Amino acid sequence: MIGFNQPLPEIITFEIRHRKYKDLSCPSKYTDTMDKSGKKDLYEAPDYYLIDDLLSEEHKLIRSAARDWVKKELSPVIEDYAQKAEFPKHLIKGLGEIGAFGPTIPLEYGGAGLDYIAYGILMQELERGDSGIRSTASVQGSLVMYPIYTYGSEEQRRKYLPRLATGEMMGCFGLTEPDHGSNPGGMVTNIKDKGDHYLLNGAKMWISNAPFADIAVVWAKDEAGKIRGLIVERGMEGFTTPETHNKWSLRASATGELVFDQVKVPKENIFPEISGLKGPLGCLNQARYGIAWGALGAAMDCYDTALRYAKERVQFGKPIGAFQLQQKKLAEMITEITKGQLLVWRLGVLKTENRATAEQISMAKRNSVEVALDVARNARQMLGGMGITGEFSVMRHMMNLESVVTYEGTQDIHLLITGMDVTGLNAFK
Ligand SMILES: Cc1cc2nc3c(=O)[nH]c(=O)nc-3n(C[C@H](O)[C@H](O)[C@H](O)COP(=O)(O)OP(=O)(O)OC[C@H]3O[C@@H](n4cnc5c(N)ncnc54)[C@H](O)[C@@H]3O)c2cc1C
């Protein structure tokens, strides 16, 4: 057996489109990796409908590398960091190495040049470990790299994307304001044209990665009331990022505010190609897509934990998994997870073909998070008293998902999006 501090066996590397992935898939290598308390990560992903058959060899290799990275690097430390309410910064480099930052961004800008199924798989594996770590990757890839790639100038792309892809530079995304959450169009953060620069004033709230980010993609209204996107760099005078404390959710993800007090932003930092709400909404589509896959990862981890526990925990002389009430819970969990897996796989195909609508993505985000929350709550009960401790990942997932259900559009907002799509009638106002 390999001890926690002993050297690990040699890592085989393989290349997918010039990016080196560490092939850690051999079970003997990392299944013995333990956390400080000597606990092993025994995760086995459920695949009731043989959905693996729908994946390419490349998808499976990427998944295997990400899964093993989570077992080796994330699982042994995540509980400690969540308890301390601290973001494990040392994981950033590894996240870059497994291609978690901007996986669909072309290779020439440092991305992995992968398709959307691969992107979904990466988010699922990360969130199976922890929603907070997936959030960091989602923000970096979908909310920072995506807008720079899609709306940015060639200079902006060359300047920022390669360093964001490796994690050498980290970013955050400022849309939500203290008084404008579900209704971002009401934002009051603003820019004024001062000839050779813009003057930025306002504040953003609930911003993931803000406390340590090197750059912020910020959405603000210009003098004509049009929403514009710009890149604000740490160190610009008047720009501060106070941390938000006392969260019971996403404790291993750093959240903060962005405060802009007469910040002079050079003109070359504005996105030239986009104005209006469609700019930030385009980014949210990308991130929501990743969450649709990711939240199912949290559900899969909770199900796997509950199943194992139900087979081992004995009460009244037999494993609790032999009782009908526990089997009902497990049967419902695996049914909902399987339906969710098929939904996101189909969405991934549509997204790769550039045919997925914002409404389809919205439905999948809402469904996956709802499934994950239900699975996590039931799994927690199945673990009895042990379910409330950090000995198991379940309660951490459950609390994390309370943020995932709120950010990137609440369940209510996503229901309204589907409602408007099918009726043609706007119920937002
Ligand atoms: C941990 C965390 C990280 C986050 N990270 C980021 C980030 O990186 N960047 C960023 O910009 N934002 C981020 N957010 C903000 C997040 O997107 C917002 O919290 C979310 O959009 C909801 O806004 P709000 O909190 O202001 O709630 P509100 O909009 O005030 O909503 C309150 C309640 O009213 C309901 N409601 C609102 N409007 C309607 C309506 N028309 N009909 C029916 N019900 C309605 C909502 O569903 C909700 O239940 C983050 C949030 C959290 C918790």
Side-chain angles (χ1 to χ4, degrees):
M1 195 167 74
I2 303 163
F4 192 63
N5 293 319
Q6 283 174 272
L8 292 159
E10 194 189 340
I11 294 163
I12 305 159
T13 59
F14 59 89
E15 256 185 48
I16 293 175
R17 303 192 199 164
H18 314 306
R19 177 178 280 264
K20 280 200 188 329
Y21 281 84
K22 288 173 184 164
D23 179 8
L24 315 171
S25 59
C26 169
S28 65
K29 287 186 182 164
Y30 288 119
T31 44
D32 280 340
T33 301
M34 290 179 269
D35 70 10
K36 274 198 227 157
S37 63
K39 205 155 48 73
K40 292 177 193 173
D41 180 352
L42 300 169
Y43 177 65
E44 281 174 45
D47 182 17
Y48 202 71
Y49 260 47
L50 312 183
I51 296 166
D52 261 18
D53 292 356
L54 302 172
L55 304 180
S56 68
E57 284 312 306
E58 180 177 276
H59 293 144
K60 289 181 199 166
L61 283 172
I62 288 161
R63 184 183 58 189
S64 142
R67 184 167 299 168
D68 289 332
W69 181 84
V70 168
K71 283 198 177 194
K72 175 182 173 273
E73 304 289 347
L74 181 58
S75 297
V77 301
I78 191 62
E79 182 60 33
D80 262 11
Y81 278 90
Q83 292 284 358
K84 288 189 290 191
E86 194 182 315
F87 172 67
K89 275 193 193 159
H90 71 279
L91 295 181
I92 288 175
K93 189 163 178 283
L95 284 165
E97 281 171 6
I98 61 167
F101 296 149
T104 60
I105 300 287
L107 293 164
E108 61 172 311
Y109 297 106
L114 298 170
D115 67 13
Y116 276 92
I117 301 258
Y119 168 35
I121 286 170
L122 279 164
M123 296 303 113
Q124 188 159 89
E125 292 303 320
L126 289 183
E127 191 145 4
R128 163 338 247 187
D130 188 79
S131 304
I133 304 304
R134 197 271 307 138
S135 298
T136 294
S138 285
V139 168
Q140 182 89 340
S142 298
L143 301 179
V144 178
M145 294 175 72
Y146 173 82
I148 293 174
Y149 175 67
T150 313
Y151 311 137
S153 65
E154 192 53 25
E155 293 71 37
Q156 290 167 352
R157 291 174 175 183
R158 303 255 168 231
K159 180 174 176 190
Y160 298 108
L161 291 177
R163 292 167 70 203
L164 289 163
T166 58
E168 185 192 334
M169 175 182 265
M170 293 299 290
C172 67
F173 175 87
L175 179 64
T176 305
E177 298 188 353
D179 293 329
H180 301 93
S182 299
N183 175 25
M187 71 175 65
V188 293
T189 296
N190 61 84
I191 48 170
K192 289 195 170 56
D193 191 334
K194 294 289 177 186
D196 63 339
H197 66 271
Y198 291 104
L199 201 59
L200 172 66
N201 278 292
K204 300 288 177 179
M205 195 177 177
W206 296 117
I207 308 305
S208 304
N209 300 359
F212 60 83
D214 304 291
I215 60 167
V217 167
V218 176
W219 301 93
K221 279 185 181 160
D222 65 14
E223 284 132 316
K226 279 194 182 150
I227 294 173
R228 303 295 306 268
L230 53 158
I231 302 165
V232 181
E233 298 187 8
R234 185 173 294 282
M236 287 180 175
E237 210 179 321
F239 173 40
T240 49
T241 60
E243 184 155 4
T244 304
H245 295 288
N246 298 333
K247 290 180 300 168
W248 284 114
S249 177
L250 290 192
R251 287 171 64 80
S253 157
T255 313
E257 294 166 46
L258 305 177
V259 182
F260 313 107
D261 181 11
Q262 305 276 80
V263 182
K264 284 183 181 174
V265 183
K267 284 222 154 150
E268 64 261 26
N269 283 30
I270 201 155
F271 293 142
E273 302 296 342
I274 193 85
S275 71
L277 207 49
K278 65 178 185 293
L281 291 186
C283 306
L284 294 183
N285 260 341
Q286 294 292 110
R288 287 168 180 173
Y289 171 79
I291 295 169
W293 280 81
L296 284 182
M300 287 155 68
D301 192 51
C302 291
Y303 166 79
D304 180 56
T305 306
L307 177 62
R308 192 169 298 111
Y309 193 83
K311 289 198 266 189
E312 287 171 3
R313 173 72 174 165
V314 174
Q315 287 293 285
F316 299 98
K318 59 180 183 179
I320 59 167
F323 294 111
Q324 290 179 2
L325 285 174
Q326 304 308 322
Q327 288 190 5
K328 176 177 185 287
K329 289 193 182 83
L330 290 166
E332 285 172 351
M333 285 181 199
I334 191 62
T335 306
E336 290 308 314
I337 287 171
T338 304
K339 283 166 20 186
Q341 286 170 330
L342 286 164
L343 188 76
V344 295
W345 174 80
R346 176 63 186 153
L347 185 66
V349 172
L350 291 175
K351 186 101 175 89
T352 296
E353 292 170 355
N354 207 16
R355 290 199 293 147
T357 65
E359 290 78 9
Q360 288 166 336
I361 293 170
S362 155
M363 178 188 279
K365 190 266 182 184
R366 176 174 58 82
N367 181 68
S368 293
V369 182
E370 211 161 81
V371 167
L373 264 171
D374 269 2
V375 169
R377 286 167 181 159
N378 278 308
R380 205 226 53 74
Q381 289 188 52
M382 287 185 68
L383 267 61
M386 289 307 290
I388 70 148
T389 72
E391 288 296 303
F392 295 91
S393 54
V394 173
M395 183 115 175
R396 179 166 42 81
H397 281 309
M398 196 183 97
M399 296 198 302
N400 281 343
L401 289 163
E402 291 295 342
S403 287
V404 183
V405 79
T406 291
Y407 68 26
E408 305 278 349
T410 65
Q411 296 302 82
D412 296 327
I413 294 303
H414 288 298
L415 284 166
L416 293 177
I417 290 172
T418 307
M420 184 163 77
D421 198 34
V422 295
T423 63
L425 304 168
N426 184 346
F428 275 92
K429 297 175 187 169

